[in-house]
Amino acid sequence: MTAALGTLAWLTLVVMFGAVVPVVPTGAAVSGAAALAAHQDPVTVLLVVLAGALGAYLGDLVVFAVLGWGGERIARRLRWLRGPQRLDRLSARVREGGVPMLLVSRLVPGGRLPVLLAAAMAGMNWRRFAVANLPATLLWSVVYAMIGVLGRAIFPEPWQSVLAAIVLVLLVTQVLSRLGRRRPEPVHPPATP
């Protein structure tokens, strides 16, 4: 049991780090851990979901705080914004969408950071963000854990299901990312004074 708790603690730290530094495939980490947990003790999958959600939640809180502090400067330096009107449009969508926008952004590859930036720039307060982000991170963790459980259902060996879950997550992420890049920017008529 101590080893399982240590593994869950590491999973939480990896997901938290990946939420702050988005080069770590956090979805693959949760899926792989869930696939392994499903082979050992299916009840442990629930703990994997909670550990993944906790890591994502804490990481998002850190990112939101940093973006609230210096968001526009950071975004311009990292070239997240292609123009000020893009941030304005996204900020308006966050103000209108609120919780559903956070839910969707968590599931779309590359969607989380721009939405967190827009939320911070739109003036979403800390408490509202903290409450709205809870279901988003929980849903994210459930989705990725279910991919791991699916790997367990298909493959008899733990290593096979972990590998299948990781490959599936990376494949789906790449496909969705490429589809998102192919979508043209909407053209808006110039504003009249």
Side-chain angles (χ1 to χ4, degrees):
M1 186 64 176
T2 305
L5 291 176
T7 302
L8 291 169
W10 273 109
L11 176 64
T12 301
L13 289 174
V14 165
V15 172
M16 186 173 88
F17 180 75
V20 174
V21 182
V23 295
V24 176
T26 55
V30 171
S31 293
L36 192 58
H39 274 283
Q40 295 171 350
D41 182 10
V43 175
T44 311
V45 173
L46 178 61
L47 296 176
V48 167
V49 167
L50 294 175
L54 178 63
Y57 181 74
L58 294 174
D60 281 359
L61 290 179
V62 169
V63 171
F64 185 76
V66 169
L67 292 175
W69 169 72
E72 195 165 344
R73 287 181 305 215
I74 294 169
R76 294 204 188 289
R77 179 163 281 199
L78 297 176
R79 298 184 184 170
W80 282 349
L81 302 174
R82 292 194 185 101
Q85 59 275 56
R86 184 174 182 182
L87 178 61
D88 292 340
R89 284 193 312 264
L90 191 54
S91 293
R93 289 172 64 191
V94 168
R95 276 192 295 275
E96 293 168 10
V99 175
M101 187 74 167
L102 287 172
L103 287 170
V104 171
S105 75
R106 204 63 176 86
L107 297 175
V108 175
R112 181 180 63 91
L113 289 177
V115 170
L116 290 180
L117 173 65
M121 300 304 294
M124 181 181 275
N125 71 35
W126 178 265
R127 185 175 305 161
R128 182 169 181 230
F129 174 76
V131 170
N133 199 42
L134 272 172
T137 55
L138 188 58
L139 175 65
W140 172 84
S141 190
V142 166
V143 167
Y144 280 101
M146 289 303 102
I147 293 171
V149 170
L150 177 66
R152 160 57 175 112
I154 296 172
F155 297 101
E157 294 294 322
W159 71 269
Q160 292 169 330
S161 56
V162 169
L163 183 62
I166 291 171
V167 168
L168 181 62
V169 166
L170 294 176
L171 181 66
V172 167
T173 301
Q174 288 300 314
V175 167
L176 290 175
S177 178
R178 287 177 195 241
L179 287 174
R181 278 190 231 132
R182 293 177 74 186
R183 228 179 4 191
E185 271 295 308
V187 177
H188 297 286
T192 56

